[in-house]
Amino acid sequence: MEQYTGHFMQHLPYLRRYARALTGTNGRGDALVTRTLEWYLEAEEAETGGNDDLSRGALYRHLNELQDKEGAAPAVAPYHPVESALMTLDETDRRLYLLVNLEDLPVGDAAAVLGIAPENAMERLTHARERVRARLTATILIVEDDAIIAYDLAETVRGMGHIVCGNAATMDEALALAAEHRPTLALMDIRLADGDNGLEVARELRARRFLPVIFVTAFPDDLAKHGLEHLGPVIPKPFTRDQIEQAITRAVFMPQPEDARETAQPH
């Protein structure tokens, strides 16, 4: 019994990681792994000489079978962008993506786990990766009245593979662009043209729908003065491209807060 348990424990971290991604929750994932352990021990005891088929791949297959009995989709709606992107995939493609990209299985081994032809698996994986990549491409609104700074920000955004939906120098321009393109993120100066204020733009965008904002400004203390630190992180000018890239990455991959889910729905 101990040797069987020891063999299983070697695979445990991988099985837990996959099961949690498969089910969408830590609790349900761990429950699948526990039931898989029970199945594994029973199978090993029945095979006194050992069974070469009770490999990591076989354990993944059993996790999938258990999940199929309960329902293929995760139990709760995902709010992390990566999880949301994966949920748009066909269930077989989602599992293939997880096995290859999360579990580092060769495509042929992942295909064997899922019972599909290797050549078909490669085609499906390519499609899945393209779809996930497209879903994780942010549409970013730049609100900046300095043309040179706006250009630099736009080049940084495009260099990361994201889309710039436009640049606004005033509040009216920003709100019009936001309504037309429904961006997923805004890079916002505080002092704008015509005496407009980026804080008011951010508050209005937040009132209309949840939109993450990163303030890029020479006046970083303005948020604290007005008690508006909750509106978004601040990058002081002068900034580096590395600062902008890191802030965008955090914003794009950060799960939506629960109190923003209602606001995120279109009105």
Side-chain angles (χ1 to χ4, degrees):
M1 176 70 72
E2 290 184 3
Q3 68 181 31
Y4 300 152
T5 305
H7 181 73
F8 185 90
M9 293 300 289
Q10 294 176 0
H11 300 305
L12 182 60
Y14 308 104
L15 298 176
R16 291 184 71 192
R17 182 175 61 190
Y18 177 69
R20 289 176 173 189
L22 184 65
T23 62
T25 70
N26 291 350
R28 291 188 68 221
D30 288 347
L32 277 187
V33 172
T34 298
R35 296 211 302 280
T36 298
L37 172 60
E38 294 169 352
W39 165 82
Y40 172 82
L41 293 176
E42 290 175 0
E44 282 287 12
E45 287 178 350
E47 297 287 341
T48 55
N51 188 337
D52 292 336
D53 189 44
L54 292 179
S55 59
R56 185 172 157 196
L59 296 172
Y60 284 135
R61 282 197 298 274
H62 193 72
L63 286 173
N64 285 336
E65 290 170 1
L66 289 175
Q67 176 66 359
D68 287 339
K69 292 178 181 177
E70 298 187 1
V76 295
Y79 293 102
H80 193 286
V82 175
E83 293 175 345
S84 296
L86 289 174
M87 284 300 294
T88 66
L89 301 176
D90 172 87
E91 182 61 18
T92 299
D93 292 350
R94 185 176 78 93
R95 295 179 184 185
L96 178 63
Y97 186 100
L98 291 173
L99 288 169
V100 175
N101 290 75
L102 182 67
E103 298 304 311
D104 294 323
L105 285 190
V107 176
D109 292 354
V113 170
L114 298 170
I116 58 180
E119 57 274 14
N120 185 27
M122 194 66 246
E123 182 179 344
R124 297 180 74 146
L125 180 63
T126 299
H127 171 75
R129 284 173 170 167
E130 290 174 352
R131 187 160 182 171
V132 169
R133 189 181 300 114
R135 292 279 299 193
L136 294 179
T137 299
T139 301
I140 298 179
L141 170 65
I142 297 174
V143 185
E144 170 62 64
D145 62 345
D146 185 304
I148 295 177
I149 295 176
Y151 176 82
D152 191 22
L153 290 172
E155 287 297 292
T156 301
V157 168
R158 294 190 183 102
M160 297 178 68
H162 299 305
I163 298 169
V164 177
C165 69
N167 177 68
T170 67
M171 181 169 182
D172 287 344
E173 290 176 2
L175 295 179
L177 285 170
E180 180 180 356
H181 298 285
R182 298 190 62 81
T184 51
L185 176 67
L187 300 179
M188 184 86 61
D189 191 9
I190 290 181
R191 308 284 177 93
L192 301 172
D194 298 342
D196 288 347
N197 191 303
L199 298 178
E200 291 303 316
V201 178
R203 293 174 72 173
E204 182 63 25
L205 289 173
R206 194 179 187 90
R208 296 185 181 191
R209 68 181 186 90
F210 180 76
L211 177 65
V213 172
I214 299 170
F215 291 96
V216 184
T217 178
F219 304 94
D221 295 334
D222 281 12
L223 276 85
K225 288 178 183 178
H226 295 85
L228 297 174
E229 299 96 325
H230 64 281
L231 288 179
V234 178
I235 298 176
K237 294 177 181 176
F239 55 82
T240 66
R241 288 200 171 190
D242 186 59
Q243 286 177 301
I244 299 297
E245 289 175 356
Q246 290 183 20
I248 289 174
T249 298
R250 284 193 295 269
V252 170
F253 284 92
M254 182 175 291
Q256 287 187 12
E258 291 190 13
D259 60 359
R261 293 171 191 167
E262 288 300 320
T263 337
Q265 299 301 318
H267 295 288

